[in-house]
Amino acid sequence: MIDQSLKVTVVVAGLALLTAACGDRPVDRALTGGAIGAGSGAVIGSTVGNPVAGAVIGGAAGATIGAVTAPER
């Protein structure tokens, strides 16, 4: 069980790093942030027994943060 969680965590972290700088428009950053948040929320939620709730909460938080942040120029 721990090995599977570790594998999923590593994959999600890798995808987060690959997509962290994506998007010049707020919509692009919201979509990217939502995807990263949903993936990491699902991983965290699976450790406590509810991956769907974790994905929903993480996706909403990630999309919100992605939409309100501005890219550094």
Side-chain angles (χ1 to χ4, degrees):
M1 181 71 174
I2 293 175
D3 291 332
Q4 182 67 21
S5 295
L6 181 61
K7 289 177 186 177
V8 173
T9 303
V10 169
V11 169
V12 169
L15 290 174
L17 289 173
L18 289 173
T19 60
C22 291
D24 289 329
R25 299 178 305 149
V27 174
D28 296 336
R29 290 190 307 275
L31 290 172
T32 304
I36 293 168
S40 56
V43 171
I44 293 169
S46 69
T47 61
V48 295
N50 199 346
V52 174
V56 170
I57 293 168
T64 302
I65 292 170
V68 299
T69 57
E72 292 187 29
R73 302 269 173 187

